[in-house]
Amino acid sequence: CGQPLQNEVRLKGRDLLTLKDFTGEEIKYMLWLSADLKFRIKQKGEYLPLLQGKSLGMIFEKRSTRTRLSTETGFALLGGHPCFLTTQDIHLGVNESLTDTARVLSSMTDAVLARVYKQSDLDILAREASIPIVNGLSDLYHPIQILADYLTLQEHYGSLKGLTLSWIGDGNNILHSIMMSAAKFGMHLQAATPKGYEPDPSITQLAEQYAKENGTKLSLTNDPLEAAHGGNVLITDTWISMGQEEEKKKRLQAFQGYQVTMKTAKVAASDWTFLHCLPRKPEEVDDEVFYSPRSLVFPEAENRKWTIMVLLLSHHSLLLRYPLLLA
């Protein structure tokens, strides 16, 4: 899987709240580790209990198939013990203050992955905890999904540099995370969102700065075909996130014309592929695209496991043992 740039990264003990806080080299190193770990465990059948005796607190305010499965199975595969906590077990800031929760979790677990409604709750947990906090999803960001997306694209294209990502959908946490990281890999971003559903202005401003610093292009539009034009990767997501159910009728109307179809693909690059973080609804992308050979959605889902394993490993001191095992 090539050589890691280990001397240029410092991940031990750091929180992962947003990819904004990480350099391109640091993210590249995490992707290198993910590819190497996947090869060694899946292909070579190696057993690497690097997190034996360690425990992970998993706070889930929002349900999830992929985040829970990838985290629980991945952490256990490395020898650790994941502890799943739903709203039936823990009410952030309700029965107990976030400060108290952070300190209790710090005394009993070695890290926490939290899937929450508010990014501000993650910020408080990170400030008050003495262990690493990993963002499993919030209203603003979904960094662990984007790492899986990038690993999938790296496997398919061989390199991320120079790719054009075409986002067609809501200006949500997935788009925000792409905006905070794509330019660091030399990727261009063309995003189409309906009027009134654009990405956060402060995130857009920072993304424009990243694009300028890295010599990449960032374009925002309300025209799906304009965003898809020349794109290597067509990407969409749910139009109605958890907590937005009351807006369903309004959103379905606003997103008319945003379904990804072969008509969309016709204006994309000849080597186009398709990503969706799942779960998928037919109005977001039709079956012809979703189940086509160009669709990478199921390798993308699997790679959630390999990337989350590396996140939990690389932010723990036992990362120092990993390179010693390399053959």
Side-chain angles (χ1 to χ4, degrees), residues 222-237:
N222 302 121
D223 182 349
L225 291 182
E226 182 182 343
H229 190 268
N232 303 104
V233 190
L234 304 177
I235 316 172
T236 192
D237 184 24

Side-chain angles (χ1 to χ4, degrees), residues 5 9 19 22-31 181 183-185 214:
L5 300 174
V9 300
L19 293 175
F22 292 81
T23 66
E25 292 305 321
E26 289 169 336
I27 302 172
K28 287 175 186 176
Y29 184 53
M30 287 188 274
L31 293 179
S181 55
K184 297 174 183 178
F185 286 88
N214 292 279

